[in-house]
Amino acid sequence: NAGVTQTPKFQVLKTGQSMTLQCAQDMNHNSMYWYRQDPGMGLRLIYYSASEGTTDKGEVPNGYNVSRLNKREFSLRLESAAPSQTSVYFCASSGQFGGYTFGSGTRLTVV
Amino acid sequence: KQEVTQIPAALSVPEGENLVLNCSFTDSAIYNLQWFRQDPGKGLTSLLLIQSSQREQTSGRLNASLDKSSGRSTLYIAASQPGDSATYLCAVDTGNQFYFGTGTSLTVIP
């Protein structure tokens, strides 16, 4: 099925560890996004990529880096995880006619 | 900055009732508005996408309306079912990014 695929689905990290969240879409969309979702805070944009080769900061970029590897893939890296980064992370993409398609999410716990 | 508000935060209705969920936004300069459904522990599923030039969109028992000038959108659910229980989120596209409301948690009681 066409859509957005995120890996892993669950992850537990110790404070200070690093990890990369992977995201791939097969809908030929130009734009891709990383959000985090926290109780009572809603969805907040971390980084986005309007097209291959470009990335821009969103509302909460501190502590994260991203790479738009090609048109299909957009990864999110935590260099030194902190408990405040415990959250559910969603990748999304959008195409020519607008509207988002979301991945199923990565539930990250930092202890 | 665009701000999106959804009221009420939670709603409980008996099965079969028709209901309306509300979404308001502060800046009327939007490209489109999208309604999503999120089940506990799951991702977001797109329900309806309304382009800025449209007034409404329909899919099955769902109807979404958009009034840009007043900064409002409604999601109408007809003949609600227990399977409709979920959190409903609206998001507005300003051209640079989407801004999300914090959602309405709907419970449909059998």
Side-chain angles (χ1 to χ4, degrees):
Chain A
N1 291 337
V4 178
T5 302
Q6 287 183 239
T7 56
K9 293 188 183 302
F10 301 93
Q11 184 72 50
V12 178
L13 290 178
K14 295 181 179 179
T15 298
Q17 286 185 317
S18 62
M19 79 162 293
T20 300
L21 282 64
Q22 306 287 352
C23 176
Q25 52 92 9
D26 59 5
M27 296 170 286
N28 203 36
H29 284 170
N30 284 324
S31 301
M32 298 185 73
Y33 311 82
W34 278 104
Y35 283 87
R36 61 178 288 172
Q37 186 177 37
D38 303 289
M41 307 274 306
L43 281 148
R44 293 181 292 170
L45 183 65
I46 305 171
Y47 271 94
Y48 67 100
S49 171
S51 62
E52 185 179 355
T54 69
T55 60
D56 286 285
K57 295 178 180 180
E59 182 182 356
V60 289
N62 291 343
Y64 306 95
N65 286 301
V66 291
S67 296
R68 183 74 182 266
L69 304 171
N70 47 56
K71 191 171 186 178
R72 290 187 63 248
E73 298 172 289
F74 188 39
S75 62
L76 177 71
R77 182 161 178 84
L78 287 69
E79 291 291 352
S80 179
S84 61
Q85 294 178 306
T86 293
S87 187
V88 182
Y89 292 84
F90 288 101
C91 178
S93 69
S94 67
Q96 178 182 359
F97 300 105
Y100 271 18
T101 300
F102 276 83
S104 57
T106 296
R107 191 171 297 272
L108 175 67
T109 302
V110 183
V111 298
Chain B
K1 177 188 170 185
Q2 179 75 263
E3 292 188 5
V4 181
T5 304
Q6 292 186 247
I7 295 174
L11 181 63
S12 183
V13 300
E15 181 177 3
E17 195 162 291
N18 302 324
L19 59 101
V20 174
L21 306 181
N22 297 295
C23 173
S24 62
F25 46 96
T26 54
D27 187 346
S28 62
I30 67 170
Y31 280 81
N32 58 57
L33 183 145
Q34 193 167 3
W35 282 93
F36 294 89
R37 167 188 174 136
Q38 186 175 30
D39 293 287
K42 303 294 185 181
L44 280 72
T45 300
S46 178
L47 297 174
L48 290 164
L49 172 68
I50 311 176
Q51 301 292 345
S52 63
S53 58
Q54 297 175 320
R55 297 282 293 182
E56 66 177 341
Q57 281 284 340
T58 298
S59 176
R61 294 182 295 109
L62 305 179
N63 176 278
S65 68
L66 174 63
D67 184 344
K68 276 180 52 179
S69 61
S70 66
R72 295 185 181 192
S73 176
T74 62
L75 179 66
Y76 174 82
I77 302 177
S80 59
Q81 302 171 358
D84 295 330
S85 297
T87 296
Y88 291 80
L89 295 130
C90 71
V92 297
D93 182 2
T94 61
N96 292 324
Q97 62 176 286
F98 271 65
Y99 291 88
F100 285 83
T102 52
T104 295
S105 177
L106 173 66
T107 301
V108 181
I109 303 166

